[in-house]
Amino acid sequence: MAAEAPQAQTKAYDVESPFGKRADPYYWLRDDSRKDPAMLAYLNAENQYYQQMTAGQQPLVDQLDKEIVGRIKQDDSSVPYDKGDYTYYTRFETGQQYPIYARKPKAGGAEQILLNVNTLAQGKDFYQIGNWEVSPDQKTLAYMEDLNGRRQYSLKFRDIATGKDLPDQITGLSASIAWAADNKTVFYIENDPVTLLSTKVKKHRLGSDAAKNPVVYEETDHSFYMGVGTSSDDAYIVIGLESTVSNEFRVLSAAEPNGQFQLLAPRQRDFKYDADHQAGRWVIRTDWQAPNYRLMTVADKDIGDRSKWQSLLAHDDGIFIESFQLFDQYLAINERSDGLSRIRVLPWKDLSKATYVASDEASYVADFETNPEQNTDWLRYNYSSLTTPNSVYKVNMKTGERVLLKQQQVLGGFDQTHYKTARVWAPAKDGSKIPVSLLYKKDFKQDGTAPLYQYSYGSYGNSTDPYFRSTVLSLVDRGFVYAIAHIRGGQEMGRHWYEQGKLLNKINTFTDYIAVTDYLVAEGYAAKDKVFGMGGSAGGLLMGAVANMAPQKYRGLVAHVPFVDVVTTMLDESIPLTTNEFDEWGNPKQKAFYDYMLSYSPYDQVKKQAYPALLVTTGLHDSQVQYFEPAKWVAKLRTMKTDSNPLLFKINMEAGHGGKSGRFARLHETAQEYAFILSLLNQPGS
């Protein structure tokens, strides 16, 4: 007998707003303590139902898991990088879930293990290192650990020579760390215990009482995110503040940890900038009168006065400047043009003589790798495409010589010549052309019979680049076309691409995604009854909106940790991240935004209709998208949908937004997702 789907009870509750009340009978599923017995019973019932409904898929999950893990070189290590007297790297050991962070003296000598995360994670359901930094004298390690996936970190210190932790420990923090030049003072960020927002920058001196640590800066505008770090030349401590539409940087000489932070430029709405330091000046990337950003510079003595900023690299309507890196003799820029990410190198002595880092493919991703020191002619960068495994190169900015340092080794018989990638342009509803990256097997026939796995994100200006992803080969090898839809809301085509996919233009994100599906089906890349979509977080919102708007066009949708209760969440400023998001989604206390957000919010727009098969995931301790959003959405879908397609809800009771912490545990979750998709095609084998 088929398992019976859980039915959440309903309880009368009205969500208040300036524009009236909305009934929310599943609001009771929210429990900030995460201890309510009725709520936990419902989540456990959903997990049990998931297990019952997928029990028959277990052999396929095991097969996929073996395939996916089998492509990974388990005893792998990162490309080492030099900083100070040491060469630093990360390595994995066969069968181990977690990395080992280590270093060796450049002059020769034995490996020094900084952190063996496998040892630290023993006996814990979740464990993650959020950040680590070595002191300037290279003797002390500061590191941030998370024990439940909620991204609320504890700061610890370790004597590298002995491998022993010092008594100092501070909890409830963001992951940011910055060492002062005295090797004793560390700047860090304390989070608000209720909203989890980063609110205070504090200063700790090793050996002192952490309860007495002074506040060096407090942010009262909760629409800003905050971070602290050092400039790339280690000369300054930098507090970075960022909202969707403005930035502010405060800087302090690392040699004067007891000094006062200075404003680089005061915040102003619709004015964004970031900056780095070199040779007595700041280089600034800004959208001031430059939507695609330009570079400017200001001397140390003139910081705080934007009128003293001098032009360094002019704005270009066709090129979006994404980031930059400073070297003694060269300026390197990571930019986007025609939707591609590439690297430009300019010598300081003549910025007009720019060169581009060479590429061997028409569609690719090139971005900066770790470059911790400015006094070198060598730039390290990552290169990848849908068919080329992730590769680390170094290029000599003086001679153009290019050296491959390492290419990701893909096991399991992988041969990149067996695959092809393509870039096509799908017409949007308003006529805009949406770039789409495709991956398929070499013998693929464009005859409208293939299943399609379509991924996208489309929010916050985050671009979804066509990186190599070995896991997806398990679908491509079974005849799938893998598509990345570079929809509006990302920044692939420049700043305007983002502006056209947020606030009162947000629905473009959803209609773009559907338009890509229509185009790929019409052009014979996919069978109309074999289309699957996947997205996570804000991409989960995308899946929820698409499920409401065009359910008949998808065989199945996978929504990981989905942001689906848009209006209720954005009305509640006690929920982590809400206030930071007003300029991304809008403030529903204003009627225009309230009405617009309500028109697409997946939870609010669930209706009596047939839905595609749905797999929804969440983490009980998620601080980015709270577990109760997908829980309420699934509960409402169960009562409203008119079809018999599976609706499965999998809750990780120990983890947060990123899922499980171990590398193999995360891959197992991917195997479960793929098994869900393949089972819908009755395609259990290869």
Side-chain angles (χ1 to χ4, degrees):
M1 186 173 70
E4 187 173 343
Q7 294 292 326
Q9 61 180 307
T10 58
K11 297 181 181 180
Y13 185 88
D14 289 329
V15 178
E16 302 278 353
S17 85
F19 313 108
K21 300 177 180 179
R22 288 161 38 249
D24 189 349
Y26 299 109
Y27 190 90
W28 70 270
L29 284 168
R30 174 179 176 176
D31 172 39
D32 292 348
S33 74
R34 289 161 171 76
K35 294 179 180 177
D36 177 61
M39 177 275 291
L40 291 173
Y42 171 68
L43 297 187
N44 285 321
E46 286 286 2
N47 272 339
Q48 184 178 4
Y49 179 68
Y50 171 82
Q51 294 295 335
Q52 292 172 326
M53 292 294 289
T54 60
Q57 299 172 19
Q58 194 55 48
L60 178 56
V61 172
D62 293 341
Q63 179 184 343
L64 290 163
D65 200 25
K66 185 177 179 181
E67 284 177 20
I68 292 169
V69 172
R71 296 191 190 99
I72 296 173
K73 187 176 187 294
Q74 294 195 25
D75 56 341
D76 205 358
S77 61
S78 65
V79 178
Y81 64 88
D82 293 341
K83 185 162 187 180
D85 299 324
Y86 292 89
T87 296
Y88 291 83
Y89 54 93
T90 303
R91 63 179 177 84
F92 285 90
E93 293 182 344
T94 300
Q96 296 295 309
Q97 292 268 16
Y98 297 94
I100 297 170
Y101 300 108
R103 71 182 187 182
K104 289 182 180 179
K106 287 198 294 190
E111 176 183 74
Q112 300 175 6
I113 291 180
L114 304 175
L115 295 170
N116 185 336
V117 186
N118 299 286
T119 302
L120 293 168
Q122 282 181 1
K124 300 177 178 68
D125 291 324
F126 183 97
Y127 189 88
Q128 191 169 63
I129 295 294
N131 192 12
W132 59 268
E133 295 287 345
V134 174
S135 60
D137 65 5
Q138 302 172 299
K139 293 180 179 179
T140 309
L141 177 75
Y143 68 99
M144 292 283 190
E145 68 175 14
D146 178 7
L147 301 182
N148 65 11
R150 199 154 171 76
R151 300 184 183 179
Q152 302 303 298
Y153 297 94
S154 295
L155 172 59
K156 294 184 174 183
F157 298 89
R158 177 165 293 192
D159 182 297
I160 297 175
T162 66
K164 302 294 185 182
D165 282 350
L166 304 179
D168 308 61
Q169 181 172 337
I170 311 168
T171 61
L173 312 181
S174 164
S176 294
I177 314 167
W179 283 97
D182 65 359
N183 303 298
K184 296 290 186 183
T185 306
V186 172
F187 294 84
Y188 63 91
I189 295 175
E190 183 178 86
N191 292 340
D192 183 281
V194 176
T195 66
L196 309 185
L197 294 172
S198 302
T199 54
K200 297 175 182 176
V201 180
K202 287 189 168 183
K203 179 173 60 175
H204 177 69
R205 185 171 174 83
L206 288 179
S208 67
D209 182 358
K212 297 179 181 178
N213 285 347
V215 176
V216 299
Y217 177 75
E218 183 170 3
E219 179 54 56
T220 57
D221 185 340
H222 293 165
S223 68
F224 280 79
Y225 292 101
M226 183 159 57
V228 64
T230 56
S231 57
S232 64
D233 61 0
D234 294 324
Y236 281 84
I237 308 296
V238 180
I239 298 172
L241 298 138
E242 180 178 13
S243 75
T244 303
V245 297
S246 61
N247 294 82
E248 185 174 87
F249 279 69
R250 294 168 180 264
V251 301
L252 170 70
S253 171
E256 301 174 7
N258 295 322
Q260 298 296 313
F261 281 85
Q262 293 179 277
L263 263 176
L264 190 57
R267 70 187 64 176
Q268 178 182 317
R269 188 167 179 83
D270 297 320
F271 164 53
K272 291 183 70 68
Y273 72 97
D274 56 69
D276 198 6
H277 188 263
Q278 181 204 43
R281 65 172 178 175
W282 290 89
V283 175
I284 302 159
R285 184 185 77 108
T286 180
D287 70 348
W288 179 29
Q289 300 173 347
N292 274 347
Y293 288 80
R294 57 175 167 160
L295 295 186
M296 306 188 77
T297 186
V298 67
D300 288 349
K301 64 182 179 65
D302 292 326
I303 65 171
D305 185 352
R306 194 171 68 175
S307 69
K308 298 289 181 67
W309 289 12
Q310 302 295 313
S311 180
L312 191 65
L313 198 66
H315 177 260
D316 188 323
D317 286 332
I319 295 175
F320 177 75
I321 298 176
E322 197 151 57
S323 62
F324 66 92
Q325 291 209 329
L326 305 177
F327 298 88
D328 286 354
Q329 303 300 323
Y330 296 91
L331 166 66
I333 297 172
N334 213 164
E335 64 184 41
R336 288 185 180 278
S337 53
D338 294 328
L340 292 176
S341 174
R342 59 183 185 171
I343 294 172
R344 182 169 29 146
V345 175
L346 307 90
W348 285 120
K349 61 184 180 183
D350 188 352
L351 293 178
S352 66
K353 293 184 177 178
T355 58
Y356 283 92
V357 173
S359 167
D360 301 320
E361 298 173 286
S363 179
Y364 63 94
V365 187
D367 53 25
F368 295 135
E369 223 262 349
T370 304
N371 291 282
E373 297 181 321
Q374 295 182 352
N375 59 337
T376 177
D377 288 341
W378 291 94
L379 164 72
R380 288 172 31 142
Y381 68 97
N382 296 303
Y383 179 92
S384 179
S385 76
L386 290 177
T387 57
T388 301
N390 298 322
S391 308
V392 178
Y393 283 90
K394 67 176 182 178
V395 61
N396 189 297
M397 294 178 283
K398 184 176 183 178
T399 67
E401 179 188 358
R402 190 169 57 136
V403 179
L404 176 63
L405 299 175
K406 177 177 178 146
Q407 185 172 86
Q408 173 190 356
Q409 190 173 347
V410 184
L411 306 180
F414 171 75
D415 182 343
Q416 72 181 92
T417 65
H418 292 172
Y419 304 90
K420 285 189 174 181
T421 183
R423 192 172 184 83
V424 297
W425 300 81
K429 189 175 181 181
D430 63 1
S432 299
K433 296 294 186 182
I434 310 158
V436 186
S437 298
L438 301 174
L439 174 68
Y440 42 78
K441 289 188 73 176
K442 182 173 64 174
D443 59 1
F444 164 72
K445 291 182 174 57
Q446 195 174 330
D447 59 7
T449 64
L452 172 68
Y453 179 73
Q454 182 176 319
Y455 171 74
S456 198
Y457 185 74
S459 290
Y460 301 106
N462 290 342
S463 298
T464 308
D465 288 313
Y467 289 104
F468 183 82
R469 185 180 171 202
S470 67
T471 52
V472 82
L473 298 176
S474 287
L475 293 180
V476 175
D477 286 345
R478 287 170 168 82
F480 274 73
V481 171
Y482 172 48
I484 301 174
H486 304 287
I487 56 181
R488 283 175 286 188
Q491 223 155 224
E492 289 91 336
M493 300 295 288
R495 187 70 179 179
H496 75 284
W497 207 242
Y498 172 41
E499 299 290 347
Q500 291 175 18
K502 70 170 186 173
L503 296 175
L504 298 176
N505 294 319
K506 187 64 204 170
I507 290 174
N508 283 338
T509 299
F510 317 135
T511 56
D512 282 2
Y513 186 90
I514 296 166
V516 169
T517 299
D518 290 341
Y519 174 82
L520 295 177
V521 169
E523 293 296 312
Y525 287 102
K528 66 178 182 179
D529 60 345
K530 297 179 183 178
V531 178
F532 299 87
M534 189 275 277
S537 195
L541 161 67
L542 170 64
M543 293 298 100
V546 165
N548 286 329
M549 295 168 66
Q552 73 284 359
K553 296 183 179 182
Y554 299 89
R555 183 77 166 268
L557 295 172
V558 179
H560 293 300
V561 292
F563 173 44
V564 285
D565 193 14
V566 182
V567 180
T568 301
T569 291
M570 295 303 296
L571 282 167
D572 188 347
E573 296 183 19
S574 73
I575 293 177
L577 308 185
T578 291
T579 51
N580 297 101
E581 308 292 326
F582 285 150
D583 289 313
E584 177 73 25
W585 311 102
N587 186 341
K589 294 182 178 68
Q590 300 173 26
K591 190 166 192 326
F593 289 114
Y594 180 89
D595 291 342
Y596 189 79
M597 294 160 73
L598 193 63
S599 75
Y600 69 75
S601 173
Y603 178 62
D604 293 286
Q605 292 303 319
V606 171
K607 56 182 73 75
K608 287 278 187 185
Q609 67 177 12
Y611 281 86
L614 289 163
L615 171 61
V616 184
T617 70
T618 193
L620 180 62
H621 298 284
D622 194 336
S623 61
Q624 309 297 110
V625 178
Q626 305 286 315
Y627 77 89
F628 44 81
E629 291 200 38
K632 290 166 53 179
W633 182 47
V634 168
K636 188 174 183 180
L637 279 166
R638 291 213 184 281
T639 64
M640 299 289 283
K641 73 189 197 83
T642 60
D643 59 89
S644 58
N645 293 323
L647 169 57
L648 303 180
F649 186 30
K650 183 162 72 77
I651 308 101
N652 190 314
M653 304 299 282
E654 289 84 35
H657 197 62
K660 294 185 177 180
S661 52
R663 57 174 176 161
F664 300 128
R666 289 196 297 269
L667 294 174
H668 184 71
E669 291 175 338
T670 300
Q672 291 174 320
E673 175 196 327
Y674 291 175
F676 167 78
I677 290 170
L678 291 169
S679 68
L680 294 171
L681 290 177
N682 294 315
Q683 195 176 340
S686 59

